[in-house]
Amino acid sequence: MANITLKGIKKAYGKVQVIHGIDWEINNGDFVVIVGPSGCGKSTLLRMIAGLESITEGEISIGDTVVNALEPSKRNIAMVFQNYALYPHMTVYKNMAYGLKLMKLPKAEIEERVQKAAKILEIEDYLTRLPRELSGGQRQRVAMGRAIVRQPAVFLFDEPLSNLDAKLRVQMRLEIKNLQAELGITSVYVTHDQVEAMTLGDQLAVLNGGYVEQLGTPIEIYERPASVFVAGFIGSPSMNLLDGQMGADGTALILPDGSEIPLTTARPSLAGQPVTLGIRPEHFSLSGGDFTVPLKVNVVEQLGADTLVHGHLGESTAPLVLRLEGVQSLNTGGIVQVGIPQDAVHIFDQASGKRVD
């Protein structure tokens, strides 16, 4: 096991800069998740840690060793890929044992490691099968087993569940989480799925255009997003974001429909300034709150345990999504008063997109 340190990491392809100076300390034994939309640089960053991509500028250390110039095979890492990357002509056993044979380990030790990993992953009955005889979930277990047998200092996961169906993704997500907790190996996991990120990671790094928008625990990022981008990306459904304005004396927020939200703490420095307001869908209620707003109902989605209500503020075009508990009977086209607690409103600077505290 080992900690990972990134210092001023940059990556450019010619004149195109894709990673812009990332500093990050990953503690020994942590499970960290790099999350962001397609093209934000998350897989590139992971591949630089693995040694599969060169570093334009900066320094990466694994443990006490600077690994910039080390080949992937010398970094004491194991990587699990999106497409499993199994040898189709080899049995499950041989796929898992192949890397150990290259390391010239004794046959007895190879046998012990493979059997132990197979037992942990519950694939003991598949050791004599070829990859084509396995389901997607079983193939991913084999790929994880191949990583486990190496007993690395660091696990790297590059969107390993994206090829699986929704139900199997949930199952494998739990298995990966339990496996990492059991083995205690420092792990870096890349995904574009914010639900995976929230449920798996001890720490998250939210990437946007090659920049780290926010580092923190899943709950810290969910409850106090550092920017409009993070607020809109983390959460399902995502946070409602409305263009508004601070009142003339900084004691109230003015919504697009003209409604005012009184503030518990005045912000005179923002008086009269345009701001972006953020409200999570689950913070609305039909039973009132610190203040209420008129919602014109457009679409109602009954999910059983929850009801999603899509609408907009009064006669304005500002869209809102509400998550209400249980089954709610609301008339499409009707207007209902929905309540919001004052402490549930997030304020962002409209020019920079950064959070205003």
Side-chain angles (χ1 to χ4, degrees), residues 22-234:
I22 292 178
D23 296 287
W24 193 11
E25 181 74 33
I26 300 171
N27 296 323
N28 183 19
D30 276 358
F31 194 140
V32 301
V33 177
I34 304 171
V35 63
S38 297
C40 71
K42 55 189 184 295
S43 289
T44 299
L45 181 59
L46 188 79
R47 290 171 64 84
M48 286 194 288
I49 296 173
L52 301 175
E53 289 276 359
S54 61
I55 301 167
T56 303
E57 188 176 325
E59 182 179 282
I60 296 179
S61 299
I62 298 178
D64 297 324
T65 304
V66 177
V67 299
N68 288 30
L70 290 183
E71 294 294 323
S73 60
K74 305 294 184 183
R75 297 192 182 198
N76 196 16
I77 61 168
M79 193 162 180
V80 180
F81 295 91
Q82 175 180 344
N83 61 355
Y84 319 131
L86 301 177
Y87 296 107
H89 62 288
M90 292 185 181
T91 64
V92 168
Y93 183 96
K94 289 181 178 179
N95 264 283
M96 293 171 65
Y98 185 66
L100 303 181
K101 289 182 178 180
L102 294 180
M103 295 166 63
K104 299 182 179 179
L105 295 183
K107 286 186 178 180
E109 184 174 353
I110 293 175
E111 174 72 16
E112 181 183 353
R113 289 196 189 188
V114 171
Q115 292 295 341
K116 182 179 179 181
K119 184 176 181 180
I120 290 172
L121 294 166
E122 299 180 355
I123 54 174
E124 297 163 286
D125 295 338
Y126 309 135
L127 291 177
T128 59
R129 295 190 187 181
L130 293 172
R132 67 172 178 268
E133 299 171 314
L134 305 176
S135 68
Q138 291 164 347
R139 292 179 195 178
Q140 196 56 276
R141 283 199 184 101
V142 176
M144 289 165 57
R146 185 175 55 189
I148 291 170
V149 297
R150 296 193 58 188
Q151 299 179 357
V154 174
F155 278 144
L156 302 177
F157 297 90
D158 189 8
E159 303 204 48
L161 308 183
S162 59
N163 287 339
L164 305 180
D165 62 59
K167 184 177 180 180
L168 192 52
R169 278 204 304 271
V170 173
Q171 179 186 337
M172 291 299 298
R173 195 166 70 212
L174 294 173
E175 291 184 7
I176 289 174
K177 182 70 172 177
N178 290 335
L179 178 65
Q180 195 276 337
E182 180 181 343
L183 299 177
I185 295 175
T186 307
S187 300
V188 183
Y189 188 106
V190 158
T191 182
H192 64 275
D193 186 331
Q194 54 91 18
V195 175
E196 269 184 28
M198 290 288 293
T199 53
L200 282 173
D202 302 318
Q203 296 282 326
L204 303 187
V206 184
L207 260 63
N208 179 26
Y211 293 93
V212 174
E213 289 272 340
Q214 190 170 1
L215 290 172
T217 68
I219 297 303
E220 286 171 351
I221 290 175
Y222 187 83
E223 293 184 343
R224 294 182 61 79
S227 66
V228 167
F229 173 82
V230 177
F233 190 79
I234 298 295

Side-chain angles (χ1 to χ4, degrees), residues 210-286:
Y211 293 93
V212 174
E213 289 272 340
Q214 190 170 1
L215 290 172
T217 68
I219 297 303
E220 286 171 351
I221 290 175
Y222 187 83
E223 293 184 343
R224 294 182 61 79
S227 66
V228 167
F229 173 82
V230 177
F233 190 79
I234 298 295
S236 180
S238 61
M239 181 182 286
N240 294 289
L241 297 168
L242 304 172
D243 290 336
Q245 187 172 346
M246 192 68 69
D249 56 0
T251 60
L253 291 167
I254 303 173
L255 296 177
D257 69 337
S259 303
E260 289 194 7
I261 302 174
L263 298 175
T264 53
T265 303
R267 292 175 170 84
S269 62
L270 293 175
Q273 297 294 315
V275 293
T276 299
L277 314 180
I279 308 170
R280 291 279 181 204
E282 65 270 23
H283 290 151
F284 292 95
S285 71
L286 298 180

